[in-house]
Amino acid sequence: MTATQKLPNRTGILVRALIILFVGGMVNSAAVFVNPLAEQFSWSTESVAGVITFMATMQTPGHILSGWMLGRVGAKKTLIIGCVLLGLAFVLSGLVPAGAPWLLYVTFSVFQGLGVGFTYTGATYCATGWYPDKRGLASGLCMALNGGSATFLAPLVVKLIDVAGITAALYIIGAGVIIIGIVSAIGLRTAPSGYIPEGWKQKAADDDSKVKATQLESLTPAQVIKTRAYWHLFLGCGLFPTLYIICYPRFSVLISDAGYSVAAATLGVSLYSISNVLSRFLFGALIDKIGCRKVYTLCGVLCVAAALCLMFASSLYMFYAAYVLLAFGFGPTNSCHPVAVQETFGSKYAGGIFGVCMLGYMLICTIISPRISSALVASTGDYTASMIYAIIACVAAVAVYTTIPMPKRRTLAEVEAEEAAKA
């Protein structure tokens, strides 16, 4: 599409996508289900926690499938499927018989993991596709609503479980997710190739690189994995979160070991949650001004500072500083990914490309790094070596992410001419 197109109601599309992301953020409240499910099935809390861990693993296939469908059948069908999968995860978990708790690995893990992957990728890349002029802001809003939903939903879920019981709560939550999700998804559309918002071209300079980029072809995931740029994103997605995965779970342990109370540790978690939501929105807007690579570098600096604060904390305030620094360092990286993927490879198949990039996260961050960290802790007797490893991984991630090469992409006019010549 080379001509300026009349602006659709992209604000409405963004709002619908944000609603789905908010509901899909239920996964961040998964911990509140652990004890009630353990009591329901007479399982240990560790066994139920294993169900939730496997659910997180299943999100990557959901990202890949959702991104693949988004480029082929559009946002509406993709997200209806995702919302139904997510809702069924809760409904079917409520139907699991007491004698077969292993079925939770299918219902709570597989269905919810796929559903979260579908809703996260589908809604994010649908929304940001309509905002080539404000992609960072749109991405930041998506990540803020998704990441911050647990702050609001977790207390409601706890109250619902207390009042209605775990089984009825699962039914109510599942039905609510399906109804809200489908109603929101019905109004969604995928932005057409070459989409330019009304008035944007007139406001921008004729040689504005962002405007020109909208008129380049979108590469498919199959094409992308053959490029060097893909492997930069693969490593960035896999290495950077290592610092969060290693540091965040150890906050409470280190605070307790330092002699502070559980209440002090809880306040730190609250500071992290608030800072995480704010950072995703604020840094998302900053991406539009200085670019995702500079923001990603800033995130790396903040994360390293968080790790150093944690390693050398001599007061409760240093622990709290580490919480805030980690939130402002790690959270906004999620706002960078949609921008980096779409600027590098185009928007049409960006969701699917993000999915295959998340294979780096699944392989490095959930399989390799935890084993390395555990081995370092076991061999040294403390967390220092593990955190040094996390810092090295973070620095390496920044190095590869900020040097993503731009692959060669034809213009849409060239693609159309080639297709016409073949016809």
Side-chain angles (χ1 to χ4, degrees), residues 15-61:
V15 169
R16 290 180 175 89
L18 291 176
I19 292 172
I20 292 174
L21 285 163
F22 184 81
V23 171
M26 180 74 68
V27 67
N28 299 313
S29 307
V32 304
F33 294 97
V34 172
N35 286 331
L37 286 172
E39 293 174 5
Q40 174 82 356
F41 294 105
S42 299
W43 260 16
S44 68
T45 54
E46 282 298 314
S47 297
V48 178
V51 170
I52 293 174
T53 300
F54 186 59
M55 178 265 290
T57 301
M58 290 304 300
Q59 289 177 33
T60 297

Side-chain angles (χ1 to χ4, degrees), residues 311-330:
M311 290 167 65
F312 299 104
S314 57
S315 70
L316 184 58
Y317 294 106
M318 286 190 71
F319 281 113
Y320 288 162
Y323 267 113
V324 174
L325 287 168
L326 184 63
F328 271 85
F330 175 68

